[in-house]
Amino acid sequence: MAKITETVLRDGHQSLIATRMTLDEMLPILEVMDSAGYHALEVWGGATFDACLRFLNEDPWERLRTIRKLVKKTKLQMLLRGQNLLGYKHYADDMVDEFVKKSIENGIDIIRIFDALNDTRNLKSSIEACKKYGGHAQGCVSYTISPVHTNEMFIKLGREIEEMGADSFCIKDMAGLLDPYNTYKLVGDLKSALKIPVELHTHATSGLGSMTYMKAVEAGVDIIDTAISPFAEGSSQPSTESMVYAFRGTEYDTGVDLGVLNKIAEHFKPIREKYIASGLLDPKLMGVDINTLVYQVPGGMLSNLVSQLKEANAIDKFDAVLKEVPRVREDLGYPPLVTPSSQIVGSQAMLNVVSGERYKRVPREVKNLVKGMYGQTPVPISEKIQNKILGKGEPISVRPADLLEPELEKTRKEFAQYIEQEEDVLTGAMFPQPALNFFQYRNAQKYKVDSGLLNEDDMVYPV
Ligand code: CO
């Protein structure tokens, strides 16, 4: 049997409409989704949290609690950037512990934990915290292609993660680089090497996604991630209905009810139409984009590069920058390209080309990467590059978070006047500015209610 994790409430809308789906758009269908027979619903992650605060004026914690209230049986899953939590820098262990505790308290069952560099030291605190508070800790590797990222390396990482106490293991193919036959081999080898269940997460970007899942299932993968059809395919996941149909009546039958899936699809169709009409759902994201295989960079990174180059009035340098990306990646020790390493490598490649001299200008984040502040790169960075970027500075060799002082109490003081629930401290720590804006918005709404300008029942957050 292959199990299904439905991603429409997280990756589906993140990949297609920049994570803008509101809680109101989800609410009417949640109870139906609970009855479909899914293994889990992916509902939360860095981008959902960020977009709730920045664009939707929603409290992400309230969103989670509301989903939990309506989804009683199915497990709720979130994506966590290891020691970066949902943000872009490393947090101290006290913050990691508190965040994981609050996520589980508010309704999360499964936490998928990854690190952009696959440095397992950065997964340790979150895995430990997850187990301590009774959650299911899923250790995850960011899949990429490079001379060192062989199947053997991923199997070694899988073993390490299993030994760290993870309850399951996931290969996160954020760029859709996996192809069917290599996946068959990789999953088969992982299944022989590991005792814990193996899950596969890919994207349909290159058109290979559903073939890749089929071979993964034949090789014994336990769970695959799919999105209901209106938010599937293109840069999102392969569609749930197609995968469920493909395996029905076979030894891999997913147990998911196709009739219920149809109701779910009917609910999301008009929402998809709405975002096509508003222009947020770009037809470019819905087709097959083979560039991700040619350049081995995630689709999102390509579109970021285009917009940055346009801003710099240098779009004519696009080809040169694309050729520079793999060179920078090699210089920087072959990091997988996922948040935040994709932004770091992309910016440096752009600066190298636009400034006309390699590493003439080096952003702080690149210096930090070379310094080891994000952890160990898959391949050590050469002394030549180190000297060029750090000058006389020495890189660190310890786990980056070992250098951090506890920070929970400090953040609590910073946001003291806005805190209405313990969770607000964590929101403030991870997204200081958007959190502040949201807290002020929340206060203003309250004032309107208190002063009789707004009826509490009408207090809806704007879309
Ligand atoms: Co994804």
Side-chain angles (χ1 to χ4, degrees):
M1 182 185 184
K3 295 181 194 161
I4 300 282
T5 292
E6 170 64 54
T7 67
V8 64
L9 306 178
R10 203 282 295 177
D11 209 358
H13 72 111
Q14 179 173 335
S15 299
L16 290 175
I17 57 165
T19 337
R20 296 301 206 283
M21 197 184 288
T22 64
L23 178 60
D24 283 340
E25 288 169 330
M26 303 171 182
L27 278 179
I29 200 65
L30 290 175
E31 283 171 294
V32 178
M33 291 180 84
D34 195 23
S35 69
Y38 292 128
H39 164 69
L41 293 177
E42 192 191 36
V43 295
W44 234 39
T48 29
F49 207 96
D50 193 347
C52 274
L53 297 167
R54 207 183 291 267
F55 305 111
L56 307 174
N57 279 322
E58 266 189 47
D59 177 5
W61 297 97
E62 190 53 42
R63 173 184 285 204
L64 175 58
R65 287 190 289 264
T66 310
I67 296 175
R68 180 78 283 177
K69 229 177 267 167
L70 294 164
V71 179
K72 296 191 173 76
K73 293 185 296 194
T74 314
K75 292 191 175 82
L76 298 183
Q77 181 172 315
M78 72 170 295
L79 180 63
L80 188 77
R81 300 171 185 156
Q83 204 75 24
N84 294 352
L85 296 178
L86 300 182
Y88 305 96
K89 59 167 197 162
H90 283 246
Y91 291 93
D93 289 333
D94 64 334
M95 196 71 91
V96 173
D97 187 86
E98 177 74 2
F99 180 81
V100 168
K101 178 179 161 203
K102 286 290 168 194
S103 302
I104 293 171
E105 257 179 41
N106 280 277
I108 291 289
D109 299 293
I110 303 171
I111 307 188
R112 174 177 295 171
I113 304 163
F114 79 98
D115 176 62
L117 300 179
N118 290 330
D119 182 340
T120 51
R121 298 173 307 170
N122 294 334
L123 308 179
K124 192 171 169 279
S125 297
S126 349
I127 292 181
E128 281 171 8
C130 186
K131 296 192 67 81
K132 178 166 139 196
Y133 297 112
H136 174 116
Q138 179 172 79
C140 178
V141 289
S142 311
Y143 184 80
T144 188
I145 295 174
S146 85
V148 292
H149 287 91
T150 55
N151 285 1
E152 290 67 36
M153 184 196 224
F154 290 113
I155 287 154
K156 190 174 151 268
L157 284 165
R159 282 209 181 98
E160 245 177 87
I161 285 171
E162 183 175 65
E163 272 161 30
M164 288 166 80
D167 299 296
S168 62
F169 176 69
C170 172
I171 309 162
K172 174 182 163 65
D173 177 24
M174 57 279 168
L177 298 175
L178 278 171
D179 64 70
Y181 289 101
N182 182 42
T183 303
Y184 186 80
K185 177 92 183 57
L186 176 61
V187 169
D189 290 349
L190 276 169
K191 285 299 294 175
S192 339
L194 306 183
K195 287 180 213 73
I196 53 177
V198 176
E199 181 156 356
L200 182 60
H201 176 91
T202 191
H203 285 254
T205 324
S206 62
L208 295 171
S210 51
M211 290 186 269
T212 296
Y213 276 157
M214 180 154 220
K215 294 310 284 183
V217 166
E218 286 176 3
V221 88
D222 298 278
I223 311 152
I224 53 174
D225 292 3
T226 62
I228 197 79
S229 56
F231 282 90
E233 307 297 339
S235 54
S236 176
Q237 272 75 54
S239 89
T240 308
E241 300 96 304
S242 318
M243 297 313 307
V244 167
Y245 194 88
F247 295 122
R248 83 198 186 292
T250 71
E251 60 184 295
Y252 311 116
D253 197 303
T254 61
V256 176
D257 186 326
L258 275 163
V260 176
L261 289 185
N262 202 27
K263 284 188 201 149
I264 300 169
E266 287 306 316
H267 169 78
F268 284 107
K269 269 181 200 165
I271 298 172
R272 170 192 166 94
E273 292 307 315
K274 175 188 142 185
Y275 287 110
I276 290 177
S278 77
L280 195 57
L281 179 45
D282 187 331
K284 276 208 289 290
L285 298 177
M286 297 190 261
V288 170
D289 181 0
I290 213 76
N291 276 336
T292 189
L293 297 178
V294 176
Y295 303 110
Q296 296 173 358
V297 300
M301 185 178 164
L302 280 179
S303 50
N304 271 345
L305 284 177
V306 169
S307 65
Q308 283 176 17
L309 282 167
K310 275 186 187 154
E311 244 169 65
N313 249 333
I315 192 67
D316 57 312
K317 305 257 171 40
F318 184 62
D319 283 341
V321 172
L322 270 185
K323 286 198 186 92
E324 180 64 7
V325 167
R327 295 177 64 198
V328 171
R329 198 170 158 237
E330 182 179 352
D331 290 344
L332 299 182
Y334 290 113
L337 299 175
V338 62
T339 302
S341 50
S342 49
Q343 290 87 339
I344 295 175
V345 170
S347 317
Q348 187 63 61
M350 207 181 96
L351 286 169
N352 284 358
V353 170
V354 174
S355 73
E357 187 188 326
R358 303 189 80 223
Y359 303 106
K360 184 177 169 193
R361 286 177 57 201
V362 179
R364 189 187 52 195
E365 288 75 12
V366 175
K367 286 185 185 149
N368 280 338
L369 178 74
V370 176
K371 224 173 145 184
M373 300 308 284
Y374 291 93
Q376 240 161 23
T377 49
V379 171
I381 297 172
S382 76
E383 222 159 280
K384 201 175 129 213
I385 295 287
Q386 268 184 34
N387 291 339
K388 196 161 196 156
I389 289 173
L390 296 182
K392 288 199 179 71
E394 277 287 306
I396 63 160
S397 58
V398 295
R399 183 185 72 121
D402 287 340
L403 303 173
L404 300 173
E405 295 292 331
E407 52 193 337
L408 195 58
E409 291 316 311
K410 206 177 96 223
T411 319
R412 194 189 306 279
K413 281 190 196 116
E414 266 167 49
F415 287 92
Q417 67 179 116
Y418 297 105
I419 289 171
E420 290 182 9
Q421 52 176 354
E422 274 304 294
E423 289 81 356
D424 291 343
V425 181
L426 298 159
T427 307
M430 289 184 293
F431 299 97
Q433 195 54 51
L436 196 62
N437 294 346
F438 171 73
F439 293 153
Q440 284 165 352
Y441 166 84
R442 192 171 63 182
N443 281 351
Q445 288 290 98
K446 270 240 180 83
Y447 168 75
K448 286 182 195 158
V449 174
D450 293 344
S451 60
L453 288 169
L454 247 180
N455 182 328
E456 192 139 17
D457 297 334
D458 299 336
M459 209 175 105
V460 286
Y461 293 137
V463 177

